[in-house]
């Protein structure tokens, strides 16, 4: 398993860090077999596997349930689990208790929290030993306000993001995810910071890249953003299911190849 120090070394030696989301045992097993450096149990699972139209409905219990399965599928991979919508901002004590619960019960290596306003939270979690990955730029939990579009594309907003990124690092964040921002801005922030910066829709200069599993394998469950590249094609899943359906009805399945042929009925007394 890659450690935080090894991920830091990768930044320093410009060795790019790969990250993919996974939400269950089989996807985690695949990510580990593919030797992906880090897995994110993203709250995007709200859309990709639970069928919600945003991440807002996802609960702490949902995250724990899925992250535990991911840990079973990828026991040797650095795993980050998302802090879902509404799990921060109640009060300092309860926010921290939820962070402890997420970290402890899932056996993840870090939690990820969205937003520049969470510097105090990052500090409190770090103080009790929970590594926190910060997520800035487009933060899907706030799409009700921002919409799904490029962020920080004015001079003022870009400067604000540069400051925010520095502040989350100072608060103790161990890594930063930057989503849907201009690539030159992502390059500048990556250069400014000591911690690894992982991009999604942030160009090629970040220290690593993250994509959503179902997007890169084309499961056709999400709207496909400009920054998604498809590396596989599971859209043919429906074709396969429909062929199975036809073959069951036409009795082509199961064939002899899928049947135990040992005869036992002559050994069974009537
Ligand atoms: O939940 C998620 O999948 C994420 C990625 C988009 C970075 O936060």
């Amino acid at each position: 398993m890659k450690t935080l120090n090894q991920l830091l070394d990768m930044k320093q030696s410009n060795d790019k860090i790969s990250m993919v989301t996974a939400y269950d045992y089989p996807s985690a097993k695949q990510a580990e077999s593919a030797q992906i450096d880090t897995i994110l149990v993203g709250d995007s699972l709200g859309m990709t596997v639970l069928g919600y139209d945003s991440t807002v409905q996802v609960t702490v219990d949902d995250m724990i349930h899925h992250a535990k399965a991911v840990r079973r599928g990828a026991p040797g991979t650095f795993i980050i689990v998302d802090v879902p919508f509404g799990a921060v901002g109640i009060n300092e004590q309860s926010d921290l208790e939820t962070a402890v619960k997420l970290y402890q019960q899932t056996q993840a290596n870090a939690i990820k929290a969205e937003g520049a306003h969470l510097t105090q939270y990052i500090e409190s979690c770090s103080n009790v030993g929970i590594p926190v990955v910060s997520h800035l730029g487009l933060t899907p939990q706030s799409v009700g306000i921002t919409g799904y579009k490029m962020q920080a594309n004015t001079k003022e907003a870009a400067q604000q993001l540069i400051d925010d990124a520095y502040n989350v690092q100072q608060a103790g964040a161990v890594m930063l995810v930057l989503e849907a921002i201009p690539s030159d801005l992502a390059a500048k922030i990556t250069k400014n910071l000591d911690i690894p910066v992982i991009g999604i829709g942030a160009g090629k200069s970040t220290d690593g890249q993250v994509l959503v599993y179902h997007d890169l394998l084309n499961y056709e469950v999400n709207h496909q953003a400009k920054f998604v590249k498809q590396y596989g094609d599971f859209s043919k899943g429906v074709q396969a299911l429909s062929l199975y359906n036809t073959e069951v009805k036409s009795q082509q399945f199961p064939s002899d190849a899928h049947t135990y042929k040992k005869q036992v009925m002559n050994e069974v007394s009537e």
Side-chain angles (χ1 to χ4, degrees):
M1 180 184 313
K2 292 257 164 28
T3 62
L4 270 176
N5 279 338
Q6 285 170 323
L7 295 169
L8 256 175
D9 287 347
M10 288 175 78
K11 176 184 176 94
Q12 277 148 15
S13 55
N14 198 22
D15 195 2
K16 297 287 181 184
I17 299 167
S18 55
M19 182 185 291
V20 68
T21 66
Y23 314 102
D24 56 14
Y25 178 80
S27 54
K29 217 166 148 53
Q30 285 177 341
E32 183 156 297
S33 300
Q35 298 183 307
I36 301 278
D37 296 313
T38 56
I39 290 177
L40 169 65
V41 188
D43 59 357
S44 51
L45 67 84
M47 287 97 89
T48 54
V49 298
L50 298 180
Y52 297 136
D53 61 5
S54 80
T55 59
V56 168
Q57 292 93 334
V58 177
T59 64
V60 172
D61 288 343
D62 290 335
M63 294 310 302
I64 291 175
H65 176 78
H66 285 273
K68 280 178 158 176
V70 169
R71 176 49 85 206
R72 289 191 289 272
T77 303
F78 190 97
I79 294 175
I80 301 159
V81 60
D82 255 339
V83 178
F85 180 83
V88 193
I90 301 159
N91 62 56
E92 210 178 313
Q93 182 63 24
S94 118
D95 291 356
L96 193 57
E97 277 167 17
T98 304
V100 168
K101 188 172 154 189
L102 257 179
Y103 183 60
Q104 198 169 43
Q105 294 192 12
T106 62
Q107 295 180 50
N109 303 93
I111 63 172
K112 174 165 83 60
E114 292 184 10
H117 60 296
L118 293 182
T119 47
Q120 184 54 57
Y121 176 75
I122 294 171
E123 208 173 312
S124 309
C125 290
S126 308
N127 285 342
V128 298
I130 304 174
V132 183
V133 175
S134 173
H135 183 160
L136 301 176
L138 176 63
T139 50
Q141 291 172 14
S142 306
V143 286
I145 295 169
T146 60
Y148 284 107
K149 60 176 200 278
M150 195 200 337
Q151 301 295 304
N153 56 354
T154 63
K155 192 173 158 209
E156 297 70 32
Q159 185 56 56
Q160 182 65 55
L161 189 60
I162 291 170
D163 296 345
D164 291 344
Y166 181 75
N167 291 339
V168 295
Q169 172 177 278
Q170 290 309 97
V174 296
M175 219 183 291
L176 172 64
V177 170
L178 285 178
E179 179 164 357
I181 63 164
S183 56
D184 61 342
L185 174 59
K188 165 93 179 143
I189 293 172
T190 304
K191 197 154 173 268
N192 279 359
L193 297 193
D194 299 323
I195 56 176
V197 176
I198 310 296
I200 173 163
K204 53 162 61 166
S205 302
T206 50
D207 301 310
Q209 297 292 329
V210 55
L211 278 180
V212 167
Y213 176 90
H214 292 72
D215 291 344
L216 79 87
L217 294 178
N218 193 23
Y219 270 82
E220 291 189 328
V221 289
N222 280 343
H223 160 75
Q224 297 274 298
K226 173 181 168 60
F227 52 74
V228 171
K229 178 172 174 186
Q230 287 160 3
Y231 287 88
D233 191 2
F234 274 74
S235 64
K236 295 200 169 49
V238 178
Q239 258 176 45
L241 289 171
S242 138
L243 183 58
Y244 163 69
N245 188 33
T246 307
E247 289 199 358
V248 168
K249 290 175 194 304
S250 63
Q251 299 183 44
Q252 283 169 277
F253 179 83
S255 67
D256 283 354
H258 303 105
T259 302
Y260 296 113
K261 283 189 241 139
K262 180 175 164 42
Q263 302 287 302
V264 287
M265 284 317 291
N266 54 2
E267 293 164 23
V268 175
S269 51
E270 307 236 324

